Amino acid sequence: MRAINKILTSIIMTASIAAISTNAFAEPKGEAAVKEAIENTLSGITAAQAEIKAGDLTAASATILAASQASKEFRFEITERQRQKATDVLKAARKSVEAGDAVAADAGLAGALKSFSEMKAKYDLTH
């Protein structure tokens, strides 16, 4: 009976240590969401640039809107003001697309892409 108690206690201790270890070393869920948001924003901007070059302004407008929405999920205190300004640039680019001004929209998207790329670099340095 003592042997069974010792074995059972050992198994329970091992299982609890394993459970604690996996939780302690797991990547926080919030970081994954932030990384996904910035990646979606960057890919949306590049897709919108390609759509503008192809002449599909309707699709570019929808893609810019999706990128703008994704940028709202990118929350990183150090770059928050820069994110707000870059999102405003995305909105202005979308208005340019809807007005039919592809040149201004492409210039705005290039500026937003540069700004979001800088923010991603800052985030990657700290995480």
Side-chain angles (χ1 to χ4, degrees), residues 40 66 87 114 125:
N40 289 342
T87 302
K114 180 182 177 207
L125 282 175

Side-chain angles (χ1 to χ4, degrees), residues 69-87:
Q69 293 297 322
S71 74
K72 292 178 183 178
E73 299 300 318
F74 179 68
R75 296 292 182 183
F76 183 50
E77 187 175 337
I78 296 171
T79 61
E80 184 60 24
R81 184 64 190 133
Q82 185 179 5
R83 183 197 62 80
Q84 291 171 352
K85 288 180 180 181
T87 302

Side-chain angles (χ1 to χ4, degrees), residues 57-116:
L57 298 182
T58 306
S61 178
T63 305
I64 293 170
L65 179 62
S68 180
Q69 293 297 322
S71 74
K72 292 178 183 178
E73 299 300 318
F74 179 68
R75 296 292 182 183
F76 183 50
E77 187 175 337
I78 296 171
T79 61
E80 184 60 24
R81 184 64 190 133
Q82 185 179 5
R83 183 197 62 80
Q84 291 171 352
K85 288 180 180 181
T87 302
D88 290 343
V89 171
L90 280 177
K91 290 177 185 177
R94 183 169 180 246
K95 286 181 183 179
S96 295
V97 165
E98 291 174 351
D101 189 359
V103 175
D106 195 38
L109 288 174
L113 182 64
K114 180 182 177 207
S115 187
F116 279 109

